[in-house]
């Protein structure tokens, strides 16, 4: 089974010493579940962490802007 989640929000205050007040961010997460005998037996997940930190201005994107 696969689940895809989109998180959205507006930040308030500071994070790791950076002023992020009023910045809008979004990120996606994908979770893959292994099912055995009708129960979750294992899972793997991935989320767009680089995109999240880039939107906040905490990390510089390694990709050139288009």
């Amino acid at each position: 089974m696969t689940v895809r989640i989109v998180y959205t929000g507006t930040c308030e205050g500071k994070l790791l010493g950076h002023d992020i007040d009023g910045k809008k961010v979004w990120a996606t997460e994908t979770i893959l579940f292994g099912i055995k005998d009708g129960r979750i037996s294992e899972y793997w997940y991935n989320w767009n962490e680089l995109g999240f930190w880039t939107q906040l201005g905490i990390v510089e994107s390694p990709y050139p802007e288009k």
Side-chain angles (χ1 to χ4, degrees):
M1 175 172 53
T2 304
V3 176
R4 182 173 184 263
I5 304 166
V6 178
Y7 301 98
T8 61
T10 303
C11 299
E12 295 180 2
K14 291 184 178 268
L15 179 64
L16 301 174
H18 296 270
D19 184 17
I20 60 169
D21 202 36
K23 291 188 179 180
K24 295 184 185 297
V25 295
W26 67 274
T28 59
E29 181 175 12
T30 303
I31 308 170
L32 304 171
F33 293 98
I35 308 293
K36 185 174 181 179
D37 298 326
R39 300 182 72 148
I40 295 173
S41 59
E42 55 192 345
Y43 69 94
W44 304 268
Y45 72 96
N46 176 275
W47 75 286
N48 184 7
E49 187 172 6
L50 176 60
F52 177 78
W53 294 115
T54 301
Q55 291 172 69
L56 293 176
I58 295 174
V59 172
E60 187 176 321
S61 176
Y63 305 108
E65 290 190 35
K66 293 181 180 180

